[in-house]
Amino acid sequence: MTESGLGLKPVYTANDLSGFNADERLGNPGEYPFTRGVYPSMYTGRPWTMRQYAGFGTARESNQRYHELVANGTGGLSVAFDLPTQMGYDSDAALAHGEVGKVGVAIDSLDDMLVLFDGLPLDEVSTSMTINAPASSLLLMYQLAAERQGIPGAKLTGTIQNDVLKEYIARGTYIYPPAESLRLISNIFEYCHKEIPRWNTISISGYHMAEAGATPAQEIAFTLANAKEYVRAALAAGLDVDDFAPRLSFFFVARTTLLEEVAKFRAARRLWARIMREEFGSKNPKSQMLRFHTQTAGVQLTAQQPEVNLVRVALQGLGAVLGGTQSLHTNSYDEAIALPTAKAARLALRTQQILAFETDVTKTVDPFAGSYVVESMTNDLEEEALALIQAVEDKGGAVKAIEEGFQKTEIEKSAYDVALQIDHGERVVVGVNRYQLDEEEPYEPLRVDPAIEAEQCERLAQLRKNRDQSVVDAALEKMQKAAQGNDNVLWPMRDAHAAGATGGEVSDALREVWGKYVPQDVF
């Protein structure tokens, strides 16, 4: 059986592809239905973007790590934010205590953003920000920081994750109720179309659902079901599908089950192309392209014998490349223990560089095309994912299914099955339930200085002391009026951040208007 619970035969032959129409099901690379890749030449001209995810402690510390990554050859930056930032709280909020700078960098204001990207040319580097509920605030701070460098929004490239629906399913860093969250996302689509046209406005994510336990079929099905909900919300807001759909992007995991992962990526591209053309009537081929970032599977890393994770990550990265990813983050071998050390982060980047420059996988496009096993697995995954998408549609769409707890329950069932298989020894995890060491070698993890919280609180105190509070209050009030009506909230939000409003203050102002989401017990 595959990870998705589908049959996997010991031997595949031409009979398994009987009736398979390659012209219809595959096409050429860069052409509908994009099964073989979204670009005609894929990596034969240049490799994927090597985008390493990093961020911890203060903006100054993270800035130093970004400079190290750029010096070592990374082609794109990816920002990890701490939990208070992700939840729309400032570092001096009571709920932020003990979490400041722990799992990412603390960004409270435009001042922090200026420090975070100090000395980095924002018109030359592509930046991805893993931020969801307060994505609008972090995007606007980034734009304002670029303007301080003399760089207009039209020259900025990058991505905000901005995928709140999966937060209700798998992660929990939501702020507002679903309807208001979708309204904010539609506002971002409109704003970026006019102000930051090269920006990817959303990265619709299966990764976090996979990390929570989703199978490959569930990962692509629930991701594409969420994507359909975002498209509907944008259309309902009066946007034209071909104005915003070309800037939609996706985010998937890469597991060690290489063949199924390659099939998963190919099936997802074919499904999305059909959905956009047949269901939403897109005419622009770019609207039908499923462009995606991949991160190797953190959930498969082990704290036991952590160096073995280097092998796991290399295999996972290879699967992502053979599956046609547009950008890739390879996890550091020590991430099951703590934030990566500088050496571990460098080795993770070197893994990608070896794949790109010391192998032949970039010399030809979609090398698995026509493979009996991969084409069969692609077809099987597509069929299974379609059935799951229809199950979501039958419940009234992704939001209604989320409110019923459908996706969350299905993912938890899958996660439980995997946990049982590991516990019973049916699923081998090297170093955990087989080939263990009697004693683990010592490891010194990267530690975040607890004094960071006090430092951030002092920075906030100084900011509030030196700003013109009346200008901040007026800007926040204007944003609240927009939120109460139908106007786009991002333009007044930008004015608020430019005046010195913090991320927490902006989120609190919107909480007063839109309220907070409180999940219902579905059991």
Side-chain angles (χ1 to χ4, degrees), residues 192-214:
C192 287
H193 180 62
K194 296 177 180 178
E195 299 280 347
I196 319 177
R198 298 172 65 194
W199 198 266
N200 295 317
T201 53
I202 192 169
S203 179
I204 307 161
S205 304
Y207 182 88
H208 308 86
M209 291 184 276
E211 291 285 278

Side-chain angles (χ1 to χ4, degrees), residues 216-496:
Q218 290 171 337
E219 179 190 357
I220 57 175
F222 296 152
T223 302
L224 298 189
N226 286 350
K228 291 174 67 172
E229 199 83 6
Y230 293 130
V231 172
R232 291 188 187 114
L235 294 174
L239 303 179
D240 183 88
V241 67
D242 286 325
D243 282 344
F244 66 86
R247 303 315 305 172
L248 302 181
S249 63
F250 294 79
F251 177 22
F252 295 113
V253 78
R255 303 169 178 83
T256 52
T257 43
L258 187 145
L259 295 178
E260 187 174 11
E261 292 300 287
V262 172
K264 177 191 75 177
F265 296 132
R266 301 169 89 251
R269 277 194 295 268
R270 191 156 69 204
L271 276 167
W272 185 241
R274 286 175 50 197
I275 288 169
M276 292 306 293
R277 177 189 275 190
E278 297 175 11
E279 294 188 34
F280 294 111
S282 67
K283 300 292 191 292
N284 186 348
K286 291 183 178 180
S287 299
Q288 301 157 12
M289 294 179 182
L290 185 138
R291 298 171 302 110
F292 65 94
H293 171 70
T294 308
Q295 182 171 339
T296 55
V299 74
Q300 290 188 319
L301 303 183
T302 64
Q304 298 89 341
Q305 301 179 46
E307 292 86 354
V308 177
N309 292 327
L310 287 165
V311 183
R312 293 187 177 101
V313 169
L315 287 170
Q316 294 161 354
L318 178 61
V321 170
L322 291 172
T325 191
Q326 276 58 70
S327 60
L328 176 62
H329 165 88
T330 36
N331 287 328
S332 300
Y333 72 86
D334 54 357
E335 287 191 43
I337 303 171
L339 289 169
T341 62
K343 178 181 179 180
R346 184 173 63 253
L347 285 170
L349 177 59
R350 294 288 184 257
T351 302
Q352 294 201 48
Q353 291 164 338
I354 288 171
L355 289 173
F357 303 116
E358 292 192 20
T359 76
D360 57 2
V361 296
T362 62
K363 289 181 168 60
T364 188
V365 178
D366 188 28
F368 276 120
S371 159
Y372 299 146
V373 59
V374 170
E375 297 297 0
S376 297
M377 294 177 79
T378 301
N379 293 341
D380 291 346
L381 275 166
E382 180 181 16
E383 183 178 342
E384 179 70 11
L386 269 174
L388 285 167
I389 292 171
Q390 189 58 51
V392 173
E393 293 291 289
D394 290 344
K395 294 181 180 298
V399 171
K400 293 293 185 183
I402 287 168
E403 291 171 347
E404 291 184 24
F406 172 68
Q407 300 98 318
K408 189 171 185 290
T409 300
E410 292 298 303
I411 291 169
E412 287 172 350
K413 288 177 183 176
S414 298
Y416 182 67
D417 288 343
V418 170
L420 286 181
Q421 291 167 14
I422 294 172
D423 289 347
H424 295 160
E426 299 166 4
R427 177 186 292 257
V428 175
V429 181
V430 173
V432 175
N433 62 5
R434 198 179 295 184
Y435 312 116
Q436 302 100 319
L437 294 177
D438 294 332
E439 184 177 343
E440 291 287 336
E441 297 176 4
Y443 171 80
E444 183 59 37
L446 176 71
R447 301 187 188 278
V448 176
D449 187 347
I452 285 170
E453 183 171 333
E455 181 182 333
Q456 280 297 111
C457 290
E458 177 59 27
R459 284 176 60 82
L460 282 166
Q462 289 299 314
L463 170 70
R464 295 188 177 112
K465 179 181 177 181
N466 295 328
R467 70 190 181 183
D468 188 331
Q469 191 61 44
S470 64
V471 176
V472 173
D473 291 342
L476 291 173
E477 184 179 354
K478 186 177 179 181
M479 182 190 69
Q480 286 183 313
K481 287 182 179 179
Q484 290 165 352
N486 296 317
D487 291 342
N488 192 308
V489 300
L490 264 75
W491 277 277
M493 188 185 296
R494 182 177 66 182
D495 293 340

Side-chain angles (χ1 to χ4, degrees), residues 13-278:
T13 68
N15 292 332
D16 293 291
L17 294 180
S18 178
F20 181 77
N21 186 326
D23 290 337
E24 177 185 315
R25 304 288 284 168
L26 299 183
N28 292 318
E31 297 178 6
Y32 185 90
F34 305 104
T35 310
R36 300 197 61 196
V38 293
Y39 303 122
S41 60
M42 289 303 288
Y43 313 134
T44 59
R46 65 181 181 90
W48 59 93
T49 299
M50 299 177 194
R51 188 187 299 283
Q52 290 302 98
Y53 184 50
F56 63 94
T58 65
R60 180 63 63 195
E61 288 176 292
S62 292
N63 174 264
Q64 182 179 348
R65 177 63 63 87
Y66 295 155
H67 279 280
E68 291 171 358
L69 287 169
V70 170
N72 279 295
T74 191
L77 299 174
S78 184
V79 184
F81 297 98
D82 70 357
L83 278 176
T85 303
Q86 293 181 49
M87 298 292 291
Y89 293 109
D90 290 330
S91 295
D92 59 358
L95 285 174
H97 181 61
E99 290 293 340
V100 176
K102 287 291 180 65
V103 300
V105 62
I107 299 295
D108 293 317
S109 69
L110 173 58
D111 286 352
D112 290 331
M113 191 67 80
L114 288 167
V115 173
L116 185 65
F117 289 102
D118 183 38
L120 295 165
L122 299 187
D123 55 343
E124 298 176 15
V125 66
S126 171
T127 302
S128 174
M129 293 188 280
T130 302
I131 194 70
N132 294 281
S136 51
S137 278
L138 278 300
L139 172 63
L140 293 170
M141 290 182 200
Y142 185 83
Q143 182 189 14
L144 290 166
E147 288 176 357
R148 295 285 184 93
Q149 293 185 8
I151 301 166
K155 290 190 174 181
L156 297 178
T157 60
T159 304
I160 44 173
Q161 194 160 104
N162 195 28
D163 175 14
V164 179
L165 291 182
K166 66 95 173 49
E167 298 296 324
Y168 303 115
I169 296 171
R171 264 191 99 240
T173 64
Y174 42 72
I175 300 176
Y176 318 111
E180 287 73 15
S181 293
L182 287 172
R183 182 260 179 92
L184 184 55
I185 289 166
S186 296
N187 283 180
I188 292 170
F189 288 175
E190 179 188 21
Y191 179 87
C192 287
H193 180 62
K194 296 177 180 178
E195 299 280 347
I196 319 177
R198 298 172 65 194
W199 198 266
N200 295 317
T201 53
I202 192 169
S203 179
I204 307 161
S205 304
Y207 182 88
H208 308 86
M209 291 184 276
E211 291 285 278
T215 67
Q218 290 171 337
E219 179 190 357
I220 57 175
F222 296 152
T223 302
L224 298 189
N226 286 350
K228 291 174 67 172
E229 199 83 6
Y230 293 130
V231 172
R232 291 188 187 114
L235 294 174
L239 303 179
D240 183 88
V241 67
D242 286 325
D243 282 344
F244 66 86
R247 303 315 305 172
L248 302 181
S249 63
F250 294 79
F251 177 22
F252 295 113
V253 78
R255 303 169 178 83
T256 52
T257 43
L258 187 145
L259 295 178
E260 187 174 11
E261 292 300 287
V262 172
K264 177 191 75 177
F265 296 132
R266 301 169 89 251
R269 277 194 295 268
R270 191 156 69 204
L271 276 167
W272 185 241
R274 286 175 50 197
I275 288 169
M276 292 306 293
R277 177 189 275 190
E278 297 175 11

